[in-house]
């Protein structure tokens, strides 16, 4: 299996963390994104131009990150990170949706600020994205005691999102006023799947 991957992508990190949780890391070959023209996208194999994507040995291409994560989790016939009981699954997928949406908003805000030409940036849109991140962090601070000890696709996505905020928005300090989320993240980050996929220092 070939994973189009970058160590700074929180979405690719989520997939690699799942692969490590499932003991599949050794089966993965890593390929690099093509960053020669970011306005054309960075992954020519994916029609959306995004990473991660997973190319199977048959040549079939899987994307996006949640699809790849679910495939890797189910591959051994014993899914552990995506619950099967309907309500439990809906709750975990809602947590994933919030964490992934927060990460998407942070990524877009950073992309707008660094990749767009000066006159094409929108402070109004950037503020909308900043608020979405802020709101998700506030909900996570309230809800973290419910998901504290669990390892699933929701909690993995939360850790990858917080790691991305540390990488790109450390000056905004998401930990301030959020002691519960801070303590959870510190503990969860000790898991091998999270520790071994931490992004490089910016
Ligand atoms: N919803 C996608 C998001 C993936 C994504 O936004 N990846 C970023 C890197 S962190 C990317 O490839 N951006 C390039 C682009 O949007 O052109 C997923 O979960 O896989």
């Amino acid at each position: 299996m070939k994973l189009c991957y970058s160590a700074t992508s929180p979405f690719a990190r989520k997939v690699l963390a799942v692969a490590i949780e499932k003991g599949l890391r050794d089966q993965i070959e890593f390929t690099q994104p093509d960053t020669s023209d970011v306005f054309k996208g960075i992954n020519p194999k994916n029609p959306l131009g995004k990473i991660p994507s997973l190319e199977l040995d048959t040549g079939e291409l899987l994307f996006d990150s949640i699809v790849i994560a679910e495939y890797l989790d189910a591959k051994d016939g014993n899914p552990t990170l995506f619950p099967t009981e309907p309500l439990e699954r809906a709750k975990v997928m809602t947590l994933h949706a919030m964490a992934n949406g927060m990460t998407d908003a942070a990524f877009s805000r950073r992309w707008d600020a660094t990749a767009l030409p000066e006159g094409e940036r929108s402070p109004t849109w950037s503020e909308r994205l900043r608020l979405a991140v802020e709101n998700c962090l506030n909900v996570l601070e309230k809800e973290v005691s419910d998901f504290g000890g669990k390892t699933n696709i929701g909690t993995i996505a939360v850790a990858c999102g917080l790691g991305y905020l540390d990488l790109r928005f450390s000056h905004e300090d998401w930990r301030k006023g959020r002691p519960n989320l801070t303590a959870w993240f510190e503990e969860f980050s000790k898991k091998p799947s999270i520790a071994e996929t931490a992004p490089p220092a910016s």
Side-chain angles (χ1 to χ4, degrees):
M1 297 184 281
K2 288 184 190 151
L3 180 66
C4 192
Y5 173 85
S6 155
T8 56
S9 164
F11 307 102
R13 181 186 184 187
K14 181 177 72 190
V15 166
L16 183 56
V18 167
I20 292 172
E21 286 289 337
K22 300 295 292 189
L24 293 171
R25 189 190 192 137
D26 291 350
Q27 294 182 31
I28 291 179
E29 191 184 322
F30 294 90
T31 62
Q32 300 301 312
D34 173 2
T35 53
S36 55
D37 181 354
V38 291
F39 288 94
K40 286 188 179 156
I42 59 174
N43 182 2
K45 290 199 171 170
N46 178 347
L48 295 169
K50 291 174 186 270
I51 63 164
S53 65
L54 184 74
E55 190 177 341
L56 303 181
D57 298 342
T58 56
E60 287 157 298
L61 194 73
L62 304 184
F63 57 88
D64 56 13
S65 60
I66 187 72
V67 175
I68 304 170
E70 186 160 27
Y71 170 72
L72 295 177
D73 186 38
K75 209 171 173 309
D76 62 1
N78 178 31
T80 53
L81 303 172
F82 289 72
T84 49
E85 193 282 314
L87 182 58
E88 186 55 22
R89 181 182 169 89
K91 281 158 64 174
V92 165
M93 295 308 277
T94 299
L95 180 61
H96 175 273
M98 179 162 60
N100 222 55
M102 177 183 86
T103 310
D104 244 332
F107 177 79
S108 296
R109 195 171 157 228
R110 152 101 184 165
W111 203 87
D112 288 359
T114 55
L116 283 184
E118 187 79 36
E120 294 179 28
R121 296 174 195 158
S122 163
T124 309
W125 186 238
S126 175
E127 178 58 9
R128 167 74 184 85
L129 297 171
R130 193 193 65 77
L131 268 179
V133 173
E134 195 75 5
N135 290 339
C136 290
L137 287 169
N138 291 340
V139 173
L140 289 170
E141 171 66 11
K142 282 200 196 107
E143 293 186 352
V144 72
S145 56
D146 296 341
F147 63 72
K150 297 177 191 152
T151 301
N152 56 44
I153 194 60
T155 52
I156 290 173
V158 172
C160 294
L162 295 177
Y164 183 72
L165 294 180
D166 279 342
L167 177 70
R168 300 299 192 206
F169 294 92
S170 57
H171 53 285
E172 294 185 5
D173 192 9
W174 63 263
R175 289 173 177 79
K176 202 166 166 208
R178 300 189 184 98
N180 300 326
L181 193 57
T182 301
W184 173 82
F185 183 58
E186 197 178 322
E187 201 49 40
F188 200 78
S189 296
K190 293 177 186 159
K191 294 175 68 60
S193 61
I194 301 302
E196 290 168 23
T197 57
S202 54

